[in-house]
Amino acid sequence: MHGRHAWAACMGGMGGLGGLGGLGGLGGQCGRVAACVSQADQPSTPVAQVVRFDVPAGQELCIVGDLHGSLGDLNAVMGLHGTPTAKNRLVFNGDFVDRGPDGAEVLASVLALKLTFPRHVHINRGNHEDAALSRAYDFEAELVTKYGASTTLLDDADDAFCAMPLGCVVNHGSSRTLVLHGHLPRSLPSLEVLKRAPRVRSVVAESEEDVELVRDILWSDPWDQDDADASAGRDGTADELLVGGVTRNYKRNAGCLIPDAALGE
């Protein structure tokens, strides 16, 4: 199922994005959420971990940061941005669930937008799109409250999270911009290496080195070396990891801090 048929399956009878906010008719709502998630985790063709997203010169692109279960914020974005079109594109840059009360509705809406407008909407994975983190925070409790303890939506959502790309390269006229939820990994690898990053259900639960690349992309932050708060916890000795003063991300206890100097010109 593709295009507007997918949107109808996910959103029909809900009154659009705003209609997803109510708790009436949970059975139908659960089915629509499941339809979006199940389609999202079974792409018809394999998707690279970093994809190209072309925005011709003169056309608009809106990059949307952490929605964290706020359907009001998503409605505000769509109200300001309007329907995605070839001249009016959207990148949702991760963290759709946890913290806010409407993680299921936000996730379903974003996935439905992607299914309906695949050429004009792109989705990046965030650090909260993680099988372990969504259980440790609020998403599991939200789904159980809304859909019952027997729901399989969390497992389905885990599959969808794993299927999401880690980033996109936005080609806008003569410029190219890499959009990631966090930052570059500590090894500052090439784009080709990023494209081949492994797909993992959780970077929090796994400690193996082969998930370090993905963990860094999702959890790392840019670092102003003059920012005392960001530097808190540095022991002054073994915190230099690789080139350019890249250090462990003490604030998050995951990923790393990347100073501008490490990126070069």
Side-chain angles (χ1 to χ4, degrees), residues 218-247:
L218 298 178
W219 284 88
S220 295
D221 290 313
W223 179 34
D224 180 354
Q225 291 171 293
D226 295 325
D227 184 348
D229 182 55
S231 301
R234 285 165 50 92
D235 59 23
T237 55
D239 41 43
E240 303 303 324
L241 294 179
L242 284 173
V243 299
V246 176
T247 76

PDB file of all heavy atoms in Angstrom, residues 218-247:
ATOM      1  N   LEU A 218      23.887   8.963  16.941  1.00  0.00           N
ATOM      2  CA  LEU A 218      22.631   9.291  17.612  1.00  0.00           C
ATOM      3  C   LEU A 218      22.816  10.092  18.897  1.00  0.00           C
ATOM      4  O   LEU A 218      21.910  10.833  19.296  1.00  0.00           O
ATOM      5  CB  LEU A 218      21.857   8.003  17.928  1.00  0.00           C
ATOM      6  CG  LEU A 218      21.427   7.160  16.725  1.00  0.00           C
ATOM      7  CD1 LEU A 218      20.722   5.900  17.182  1.00  0.00           C
ATOM      8  CD2 LEU A 218      20.526   7.974  15.797  1.00  0.00           C
ATOM      9  N   TRP A 219      23.974   9.964  19.541  1.00  0.00           N
ATOM     10  CA  TRP A 219      24.150  10.546  20.873  1.00  0.00           C
ATOM     11  C   TRP A 219      25.177  11.672  20.952  1.00  0.00           C
ATOM     12  O   TRP A 219      25.213  12.402  21.947  1.00  0.00           O
ATOM     13  CB  TRP A 219      24.561   9.453  21.867  1.00  0.00           C
ATOM     14  CG  TRP A 219      23.433   8.562  22.278  1.00  0.00           C
ATOM     15  CD1 TRP A 219      23.016   7.426  21.659  1.00  0.00           C
ATOM     16  CD2 TRP A 219      22.562   8.740  23.395  1.00  0.00           C
ATOM     17  NE1 TRP A 219      21.951   6.876  22.324  1.00  0.00           N
ATOM     18  CE2 TRP A 219      21.650   7.657  23.396  1.00  0.00           C
ATOM     19  CE3 TRP A 219      22.476   9.694  24.414  1.00  0.00           C
ATOM     20  CZ2 TRP A 219      20.652   7.525  24.367  1.00  0.00           C
ATOM     21  CZ3 TRP A 219      21.484   9.552  25.375  1.00  0.00           C
ATOM     22  CH2 TRP A 219      20.592   8.478  25.347  1.00  0.00           C
ATOM     23  N   SER A 220      26.024  11.826  19.957  1.00  0.00           N
ATOM     24  CA  SER A 220      27.080  12.836  20.056  1.00  0.00           C
ATOM     25  C   SER A 220      26.536  14.248  19.894  1.00  0.00           C
ATOM     26  O   SER A 220      25.457  14.467  19.334  1.00  0.00           O
ATOM     27  CB  SER A 220      28.163  12.571  19.001  1.00  0.00           C
ATOM     28  OG  SER A 220      28.815  11.347  19.258  1.00  0.00           O
ATOM     29  N   ASP A 221      27.327  15.207  20.371  1.00  0.00           N
ATOM     30  CA  ASP A 221      26.941  16.613  20.329  1.00  0.00           C
ATOM     31  C   ASP A 221      28.100  17.459  19.816  1.00  0.00           C
ATOM     32  O   ASP A 221      29.272  17.112  20.023  1.00  0.00           O
ATOM     33  CB  ASP A 221      26.577  17.118  21.734  1.00  0.00           C
ATOM     34  CG  ASP A 221      25.283  16.533  22.258  1.00  0.00           C
ATOM     35  OD1 ASP A 221      24.296  16.524  21.502  1.00  0.00           O
ATOM     36  OD2 ASP A 221      25.263  16.096  23.416  1.00  0.00           O
ATOM     37  N   PRO A 222      27.777  18.612  19.195  1.00  0.00           N
ATOM     38  CA  PRO A 222      28.841  19.582  18.933  1.00  0.00           C
ATOM     39  C   PRO A 222      29.332  20.136  20.271  1.00  0.00           C
ATOM     40  O   PRO A 222      28.606  20.111  21.266  1.00  0.00           O
ATOM     41  CB  PRO A 222      28.129  20.663  18.103  1.00  0.00           C
ATOM     42  CG  PRO A 222      26.693  20.536  18.463  1.00  0.00           C
ATOM     43  CD  PRO A 222      26.456  19.076  18.759  1.00  0.00           C
ATOM     44  N   TRP A 223      30.544  20.618  20.304  1.00  0.00           N
ATOM     45  CA  TRP A 223      31.150  21.030  21.571  1.00  0.00           C
ATOM     46  C   TRP A 223      31.867  22.355  21.443  1.00  0.00           C
ATOM     47  O   TRP A 223      32.813  22.497  20.674  1.00  0.00           O
ATOM     48  CB  TRP A 223      32.131  19.946  22.049  1.00  0.00           C
ATOM     49  CG  TRP A 223      32.829  20.276  23.338  1.00  0.00           C
ATOM     50  CD1 TRP A 223      32.326  20.968  24.397  1.00  0.00           C
ATOM     51  CD2 TRP A 223      34.156  19.914  23.703  1.00  0.00           C
ATOM     52  NE1 TRP A 223      33.245  21.057  25.397  1.00  0.00           N
ATOM     53  CE2 TRP A 223      34.389  20.422  25.000  1.00  0.00           C
ATOM     54  CE3 TRP A 223      35.179  19.199  23.052  1.00  0.00           C
ATOM     55  CZ2 TRP A 223      35.596  20.243  25.659  1.00  0.00           C
ATOM     56  CZ3 TRP A 223      36.370  19.028  23.708  1.00  0.00           C
ATOM     57  CH2 TRP A 223      36.579  19.537  24.996  1.00  0.00           C
ATOM     58  N   ASP A 224      31.390  23.312  22.213  1.00  0.00           N
ATOM     59  CA  ASP A 224      32.086  24.583  22.375  1.00  0.00           C
ATOM     60  C   ASP A 224      33.069  24.396  23.525  1.00  0.00           C
ATOM     61  O   ASP A 224      32.676  24.271  24.676  1.00  0.00           O
ATOM     62  CB  ASP A 224      31.083  25.695  22.690  1.00  0.00           C
ATOM     63  CG  ASP A 224      31.743  27.056  22.881  1.00  0.00           C
ATOM     64  OD1 ASP A 224      32.992  27.125  22.891  1.00  0.00           O
ATOM     65  OD2 ASP A 224      31.005  28.048  23.034  1.00  0.00           O
ATOM     66  N   GLN A 225      34.344  24.369  23.226  1.00  0.00           N
ATOM     67  CA  GLN A 225      35.349  24.074  24.244  1.00  0.00           C
ATOM     68  C   GLN A 225      35.447  25.144  25.324  1.00  0.00           C
ATOM     69  O   GLN A 225      36.063  24.931  26.360  1.00  0.00           O
ATOM     70  CB  GLN A 225      36.713  23.856  23.578  1.00  0.00           C
ATOM     71  CG  GLN A 225      36.755  22.576  22.763  1.00  0.00           C
ATOM     72  CD  GLN A 225      38.011  22.457  21.936  1.00  0.00           C
ATOM     73  OE1 GLN A 225      38.235  23.220  21.007  1.00  0.00           O
ATOM     74  NE2 GLN A 225      38.847  21.472  22.262  1.00  0.00           N
ATOM     75  N   ASP A 226      34.817  26.307  25.078  1.00  0.00           N
ATOM     76  CA  ASP A 226      34.784  27.354  26.100  1.00  0.00           C
ATOM     77  C   ASP A 226      33.553  27.252  26.995  1.00  0.00           C
ATOM     78  O   ASP A 226      33.386  28.045  27.924  1.00  0.00           O
ATOM     79  CB  ASP A 226      34.793  28.737  25.430  1.00  0.00           C
ATOM     80  CG  ASP A 226      36.095  28.992  24.684  1.00  0.00           C
ATOM     81  OD1 ASP A 226      37.145  28.523  25.166  1.00  0.00           O
ATOM     82  OD2 ASP A 226      36.038  29.644  23.626  1.00  0.00           O
ATOM     83  N   ASP A 227      32.675  26.270  26.704  1.00  0.00           N
ATOM     84  CA  ASP A 227      31.444  26.086  27.479  1.00  0.00           C
ATOM     85  C   ASP A 227      31.763  25.240  28.710  1.00  0.00           C
ATOM     86  O   ASP A 227      31.972  24.032  28.616  1.00  0.00           O
ATOM     87  CB  ASP A 227      30.383  25.408  26.611  1.00  0.00           C
ATOM     88  CG  ASP A 227      29.037  25.266  27.320  1.00  0.00           C
ATOM     89  OD1 ASP A 227      28.979  25.469  28.546  1.00  0.00           O
ATOM     90  OD2 ASP A 227      28.054  24.935  26.640  1.00  0.00           O
ATOM     91  N   ALA A 228      31.769  25.870  29.872  1.00  0.00           N
ATOM     92  CA  ALA A 228      32.139  25.161  31.103  1.00  0.00           C
ATOM     93  C   ALA A 228      31.162  24.042  31.424  1.00  0.00           C
ATOM     94  O   ALA A 228      31.555  22.973  31.906  1.00  0.00           O
ATOM     95  CB  ALA A 228      32.216  26.142  32.272  1.00  0.00           C
ATOM     96  N   ASP A 229      29.877  24.262  31.153  1.00  0.00           N
ATOM     97  CA  ASP A 229      28.875  23.238  31.464  1.00  0.00           C
ATOM     98  C   ASP A 229      29.090  21.999  30.608  1.00  0.00           C
ATOM     99  O   ASP A 229      29.032  20.868  31.102  1.00  0.00           O
ATOM    100  CB  ASP A 229      27.473  23.794  31.233  1.00  0.00           C
ATOM    101  CG  ASP A 229      26.381  22.794  31.581  1.00  0.00           C
ATOM    102  OD1 ASP A 229      26.382  22.299  32.715  1.00  0.00           O
ATOM    103  OD2 ASP A 229      25.544  22.515  30.712  1.00  0.00           O
ATOM    104  N   ALA A 230      29.367  22.191  29.321  1.00  0.00           N
ATOM    105  CA  ALA A 230      29.597  21.051  28.432  1.00  0.00           C
ATOM    106  C   ALA A 230      30.880  20.327  28.784  1.00  0.00           C
ATOM    107  O   ALA A 230      31.041  19.135  28.514  1.00  0.00           O
ATOM    108  CB  ALA A 230      29.644  21.511  26.980  1.00  0.00           C
ATOM    109  N   SER A 231      31.825  21.039  29.400  1.00  0.00           N
ATOM    110  CA  SER A 231      33.111  20.436  29.743  1.00  0.00           C
ATOM    111  C   SER A 231      33.098  19.765  31.107  1.00  0.00           C
ATOM    112  O   SER A 231      34.077  19.123  31.488  1.00  0.00           O
ATOM    113  CB  SER A 231      34.207  21.517  29.728  1.00  0.00           C
ATOM    114  OG  SER A 231      34.293  22.129  28.462  1.00  0.00           O
ATOM    115  N   ALA A 232      31.999  19.911  31.844  1.00  0.00           N
ATOM    116  CA  ALA A 232      31.937  19.345  33.192  1.00  0.00           C
ATOM    117  C   ALA A 232      32.148  17.836  33.151  1.00  0.00           C
ATOM    118  O   ALA A 232      31.601  17.134  32.318  1.00  0.00           O
ATOM    119  CB  ALA A 232      30.581  19.660  33.824  1.00  0.00           C
ATOM    120  N   GLY A 233      32.980  17.329  34.080  1.00  0.00           N
ATOM    121  CA  GLY A 233      33.233  15.898  34.168  1.00  0.00           C
ATOM    122  C   GLY A 233      34.502  15.470  33.486  1.00  0.00           C
ATOM    123  O   GLY A 233      34.958  14.349  33.653  1.00  0.00           O
ATOM    124  N   ARG A 234      35.118  16.342  32.703  1.00  0.00           N
ATOM    125  CA  ARG A 234      36.385  15.982  32.075  1.00  0.00           C
ATOM    126  C   ARG A 234      37.448  15.796  33.148  1.00  0.00           C
ATOM    127  O   ARG A 234      37.579  16.611  34.058  1.00  0.00           O
ATOM    128  CB  ARG A 234      36.820  17.077  31.094  1.00  0.00           C
ATOM    129  CG  ARG A 234      36.036  17.085  29.809  1.00  0.00           C
ATOM    130  CD  ARG A 234      36.226  18.394  29.032  1.00  0.00           C
ATOM    131  NE  ARG A 234      37.642  18.729  28.888  1.00  0.00           N
ATOM    132  CZ  ARG A 234      38.401  18.373  27.860  1.00  0.00           C
ATOM    133  NH1 ARG A 234      37.890  17.627  26.893  1.00  0.00           N
ATOM    134  NH2 ARG A 234      39.660  18.732  27.769  1.00  0.00           N
ATOM    135  N   ASP A 235      38.191  14.706  33.050  1.00  0.00           N
ATOM    136  CA  ASP A 235      39.200  14.441  34.084  1.00  0.00           C
ATOM    137  C   ASP A 235      40.559  15.035  33.738  1.00  0.00           C
ATOM    138  O   ASP A 235      41.498  14.959  34.525  1.00  0.00           O
ATOM    139  CB  ASP A 235      39.335  12.936  34.342  1.00  0.00           C
ATOM    140  CG  ASP A 235      39.724  12.158  33.087  1.00  0.00           C
ATOM    141  OD1 ASP A 235      40.307  12.765  32.163  1.00  0.00           O
ATOM    142  OD2 ASP A 235      39.434  10.956  33.038  1.00  0.00           O
ATOM    143  N   GLY A 236      40.660  15.625  32.528  1.00  0.00           N
ATOM    144  CA  GLY A 236      41.872  16.316  32.164  1.00  0.00           C
ATOM    145  C   GLY A 236      43.021  15.410  31.768  1.00  0.00           C
ATOM    146  O   GLY A 236      44.116  15.876  31.486  1.00  0.00           O
ATOM    147  N   THR A 237      42.785  14.114  31.763  1.00  0.00           N
ATOM    148  CA  THR A 237      43.884  13.204  31.431  1.00  0.00           C
ATOM    149  C   THR A 237      43.524  12.315  30.254  1.00  0.00           C
ATOM    150  O   THR A 237      43.979  12.532  29.145  1.00  0.00           O
ATOM    151  CB  THR A 237      44.249  12.338  32.648  1.00  0.00           C
ATOM    152  OG1 THR A 237      43.073  11.658  33.102  1.00  0.00           O
ATOM    153  CG2 THR A 237      44.798  13.211  33.778  1.00  0.00           C
ATOM    154  N   ALA A 238      42.682  11.334  30.488  1.00  0.00           N
ATOM    155  CA  ALA A 238      42.424  10.316  29.461  1.00  0.00           C
ATOM    156  C   ALA A 238      41.202  10.624  28.618  1.00  0.00           C
ATOM    157  O   ALA A 238      40.655   9.746  27.979  1.00  0.00           O
ATOM    158  CB  ALA A 238      42.246   8.955  30.128  1.00  0.00           C
ATOM    159  N   ASP A 239      40.738  11.886  28.598  1.00  0.00           N
ATOM    160  CA  ASP A 239      39.502  12.139  27.876  1.00  0.00           C
ATOM    161  C   ASP A 239      39.711  12.414  26.397  1.00  0.00           C
ATOM    162  O   ASP A 239      38.756  12.466  25.648  1.00  0.00           O
ATOM    163  CB  ASP A 239      38.689  13.282  28.505  1.00  0.00           C
ATOM    164  CG  ASP A 239      39.551  14.444  28.962  1.00  0.00           C
ATOM    165  OD1 ASP A 239      40.452  14.827  28.218  1.00  0.00           O
ATOM    166  OD2 ASP A 239      39.307  14.932  30.063  1.00  0.00           O
ATOM    167  N   GLU A 240      40.924  12.627  25.942  1.00  0.00           N
ATOM    168  CA  GLU A 240      41.143  12.823  24.518  1.00  0.00           C
ATOM    169  C   GLU A 240      41.078  11.455  23.822  1.00  0.00           C
ATOM    170  O   GLU A 240      41.830  10.548  24.154  1.00  0.00           O
ATOM    171  CB  GLU A 240      42.511  13.459  24.270  1.00  0.00           C
ATOM    172  CG  GLU A 240      42.702  14.791  24.991  1.00  0.00           C
ATOM    173  CD  GLU A 240      41.645  15.819  24.641  1.00  0.00           C
ATOM    174  OE1 GLU A 240      41.221  15.842  23.474  1.00  0.00           O
ATOM    175  OE2 GLU A 240      41.240  16.571  25.528  1.00  0.00           O
ATOM    176  N   LEU A 241      40.167  11.330  22.854  1.00  0.00           N
ATOM    177  CA  LEU A 241      39.953  10.026  22.233  1.00  0.00           C
ATOM    178  C   LEU A 241      40.709   9.882  20.921  1.00  0.00           C
ATOM    179  O   LEU A 241      41.411   8.918  20.715  1.00  0.00           O
ATOM    180  CB  LEU A 241      38.457   9.807  21.981  1.00  0.00           C
ATOM    181  CG  LEU A 241      37.592   9.705  23.234  1.00  0.00           C
ATOM    182  CD1 LEU A 241      36.144   9.519  22.835  1.00  0.00           C
ATOM    183  CD2 LEU A 241      38.043   8.551  24.109  1.00  0.00           C
ATOM    184  N   LEU A 242      40.485  10.843  20.038  1.00  0.00           N
ATOM    185  CA  LEU A 242      41.117  10.721  18.720  1.00  0.00           C
ATOM    186  C   LEU A 242      41.578  12.097  18.273  1.00  0.00           C
ATOM    187  O   LEU A 242      42.156  12.838  19.054  1.00  0.00           O
ATOM    188  CB  LEU A 242      40.139  10.085  17.715  1.00  0.00           C
ATOM    189  CG  LEU A 242      39.936   8.573  17.866  1.00  0.00           C
ATOM    190  CD1 LEU A 242      38.826   8.099  16.949  1.00  0.00           C
ATOM    191  CD2 LEU A 242      41.218   7.809  17.539  1.00  0.00           C
ATOM    192  N   VAL A 243      41.279  12.439  17.019  1.00  0.00           N
ATOM    193  CA  VAL A 243      41.810  13.679  16.454  1.00  0.00           C
ATOM    194  C   VAL A 243      41.070  14.903  16.978  1.00  0.00           C
ATOM    195  O   VAL A 243      39.921  14.839  17.388  1.00  0.00           O
ATOM    196  CB  VAL A 243      41.713  13.653  14.912  1.00  0.00           C
ATOM    197  CG1 VAL A 243      42.526  12.508  14.361  1.00  0.00           C
ATOM    198  CG2 VAL A 243      40.255  13.521  14.472  1.00  0.00           C
ATOM    199  N   GLY A 244      41.757  16.030  16.956  1.00  0.00           N
ATOM    200  CA  GLY A 244      41.114  17.318  17.154  1.00  0.00           C
ATOM    201  C   GLY A 244      40.446  17.541  18.486  1.00  0.00           C
ATOM    202  O   GLY A 244      39.553  18.375  18.599  1.00  0.00           O
ATOM    203  N   GLY A 245      40.822  16.822  19.523  1.00  0.00           N
ATOM    204  CA  GLY A 245      40.240  17.051  20.841  1.00  0.00           C
ATOM    205  C   GLY A 245      38.862  16.449  21.041  1.00  0.00           C
ATOM    206  O   GLY A 245      38.114  16.874  21.927  1.00  0.00           O
ATOM    207  N   VAL A 246      38.480  15.463  20.221  1.00  0.00           N
ATOM    208  CA  VAL A 246      37.214  14.768  20.419  1.00  0.00           C
ATOM    209  C   VAL A 246      37.241  14.053  21.765  1.00  0.00           C
ATOM    210  O   VAL A 246      38.206  13.365  22.096  1.00  0.00           O
ATOM    211  CB  VAL A 246      36.963  13.743  19.294  1.00  0.00           C
ATOM    212  CG1 VAL A 246      35.697  12.943  19.557  1.00  0.00           C
ATOM    213  CG2 VAL A 246      36.869  14.463  17.954  1.00  0.00           C
ATOM    214  N   THR A 247      36.194  14.215  22.573  1.00  0.00           N
ATOM    215  CA  THR A 247      36.173  13.631  23.904  1.00  0.00           C
ATOM    216  C   THR A 247      34.887  12.850  24.149  1.00  0.00           C
ATOM    217  O   THR A 247      33.926  12.947  23.387  1.00  0.00           O
ATOM    218  CB  THR A 247      36.281  14.717  25.005  1.00  0.00           C
ATOM    219  OG1 THR A 247      35.017  15.370  25.134  1.00  0.00           O
ATOM    220  CG2 THR A 247      37.352  15.722  24.684  1.00  0.00           C
TER     221      THR A 247
END
